[in-house]
Amino acid sequence: MSEGPVHSLAFSALLPSQLRNLRDRRYQGESFDLSVAALSPADQIHVRTLYRFAKGVYGRWIEMRDAPDWEALRASVLSVLRPPLSISMKELGQESMARCGEGEAERALGKVLHDLRGGALMPLQLYAQMAEWDADPIHLRTAAFLARDQAKIMRNALPDLDPEVRRADETEKPHYIQAVVDKWDGFRFEREGHEPGHVRVTCTYGGLLASCCLEASAVDRIVYNYMNNAMRFASGPVISMEIVPIGHHAVRWIVANPVTPEQVDWLEKKTGGDLTCLFRGGVTRGGNGLGLSNCVDFVAAAFGLPDIESALSGKYLGAVVKDGWFLAWAHWPSLYSAEAPQQPGVQPAPRPAP
């Protein structure tokens, strides 16, 4: 296996150099959601319990960031590992899925529940476990930002969970790509039986991430699905994230993790060599196969494509195994702003002609 993922002309040649955007207005991350009322009474309690926690941890950080009380923040983060939060994480969705009939309603419910249970909550639990023995302020601050992201994802998936803040999420507010680089570069993840691994980010895109919090949370629902899979299945200590401009109209995200020959063999057998199967749902190794199908929904919507098959056949997103690495990519419409400051460590891409 090579020491790093394939960032070569050979791999880039597999992907489109131009991507059509059929929308007449920018996609802001709406849809692919449910009302809280669609959940069972027990699951509504679980959702509100977890949301209060996520919103509360980040709120506590905002209050203390000029003079942090690290022990207080640590106690807040650690609460996710104890009842009632640990019970809510374990039981969320069970009653709703049991009551839901089969078909599209079941699939829509399953997709939303997948991101409520996963999203930023999965890595947040890892950082909480680290906090039990390591009170590193950097890690505690990371946990606070993971809590912020999870609260945003929950508002994206359940618009009526916190209507007032959801309306604020829809308000125009530039989000800078450097915040993504800062969040993920050096991000630690646990490896059973091995030393912790880390994420390495390369970014050459100089535009904005998103136009508002709601759009940023839609991108998060893609990136966290990719990263959670990579952290779960990485056979080595490094996960790579690459963010690059594609022409003037799109940004390419590539998340890559090393895999074992046995994992490669499993993928080949389960997909018949067609990894687009992973994005249609139903192909999973211990999960439910819905995470990557959420990703294709959002990417197709962002570019105004008529269906997910258009997104997959057009390589707007996908996956490949190459030289011992599993690489998953997704594109998102780029966003440039004359007001966006030069960001350290990010080489600006050319701006579109006026």
Side-chain angles (χ1 to χ4, degrees):
M1 184 180 72
S2 61
E3 293 184 356
V6 180
H7 300 298
S8 64
L9 292 175
F11 175 63
S12 296
L14 299 173
L15 305 181
S17 58
Q18 296 291 330
L19 292 157
R20 295 179 64 201
N21 190 333
L22 305 182
R23 295 184 65 92
D24 57 8
R25 55 182 283 274
R26 187 169 185 84
Y27 177 61
Q28 292 190 313
E30 67 276 9
S31 303
F32 314 114
D33 52 31
L34 289 174
S35 168
V36 174
L39 303 177
S40 72
D43 283 333
Q44 291 182 37
I45 293 173
H46 292 322
V47 158
R48 295 191 187 282
T49 298
L50 291 168
Y51 180 69
R52 282 194 300 270
F53 160 75
K55 187 179 178 182
V57 168
Y58 184 60
R60 174 161 288 195
W61 165 249
I62 293 297
E63 291 171 359
M64 67 168 64
R65 60 184 171 182
D66 292 332
D69 181 341
W70 297 113
E71 278 305 312
L73 183 60
R74 183 187 186 193
S76 294
V77 170
L78 285 172
S79 66
V80 77
L81 303 177
R82 322 270 191 256
L85 289 161
S86 60
I87 294 173
S88 289
M89 286 189 299
K90 180 180 178 180
E91 296 183 356
L92 175 61
Q94 293 180 8
E95 186 176 287
S96 295
M97 292 300 294
R99 292 172 41 166
C100 185
E102 296 182 357
E104 286 302 313
E106 179 188 36
R107 184 172 174 81
L109 175 61
K111 285 184 168 187
V112 165
L113 288 171
H114 180 279
D115 285 358
L116 294 176
R117 294 168 61 97
L121 191 58
M122 184 178 294
L124 176 55
Q125 291 175 73
L126 296 178
Y127 270 72
Q129 290 165 4
M130 281 193 280
E132 289 196 294
W133 55 268
D134 178 7
D136 188 330
I138 294 176
H139 297 159
L140 292 172
R141 184 179 60 184
T142 297
F145 282 98
L146 288 169
R148 175 204 61 187
D149 289 353
Q150 182 63 18
K152 285 186 178 183
I153 287 172
M154 295 182 78
R155 292 194 298 271
N156 183 296
L158 299 167
D160 54 351
L161 178 62
D162 189 344
E164 182 178 354
V165 181
R166 166 66 186 235
R167 286 192 293 271
D169 288 346
E170 296 169 356
T171 302
E172 184 171 346
K173 179 183 179 182
H175 283 60
Y176 298 107
I177 197 68
Q178 188 62 39
V180 176
V181 176
D182 292 342
K183 175 171 64 180
W184 287 112
D185 196 32
F187 190 93
R188 290 182 60 181
F189 63 95
E190 294 297 305
R191 301 174 62 229
E192 188 173 353
H194 299 277
E195 289 295 313
H198 68 278
V199 178
R200 183 175 59 214
V201 179
T202 303
C203 179
T204 57
Y205 167 62
L208 299 172
L209 168 68
S211 62
C212 62
C213 290
L214 187 64
E215 183 186 349
S217 64
V219 177
D220 274 344
R221 286 179 72 176
I222 297 171
V223 174
Y224 275 107
N225 270 308
Y226 278 20
M227 291 301 301
N228 287 341
N229 280 350
M231 288 187 283
R232 182 180 175 193
F233 294 115
S235 64
V238 177
I239 292 171
S240 171
M241 176 186 288
E242 185 175 8
I243 308 166
V244 296
I246 304 302
H248 292 154
H249 305 293
V251 187
R252 179 177 297 154
W253 300 70
I254 304 173
V255 174
N257 62 275
V259 287
T260 64
E262 186 272 334
Q263 289 172 316
V264 175
D265 183 61
W266 184 90
L267 282 168
E268 176 67 29
K269 289 178 179 177
K270 286 293 184 179
T271 67
D274 178 11
L275 296 189
T276 62
C277 295
L278 299 174
F279 296 86
R280 294 186 176 91
V283 178
T284 182
R285 194 168 193 177
N288 55 30
L290 294 174
L292 294 180
S293 64
N294 275 343
C295 298
V296 71
D297 287 340
F298 277 108
V299 170
F303 286 95
L305 304 177
D307 49 46
I308 66 168
E309 293 304 322
S310 300
L312 293 171
S313 63
K315 297 184 178 178
Y316 284 75
L317 77 171
V320 68
V321 175
K322 193 169 181 65
D323 295 344
W325 288 78
F326 178 87
L327 301 100
W329 75 87
H331 294 92
W332 196 260
S334 56
L335 179 63
Y336 292 91
S337 169
E339 291 76 33
Q342 175 70 40
Q343 299 172 50
V346 177
Q347 177 183 340
R351 298 189 185 280

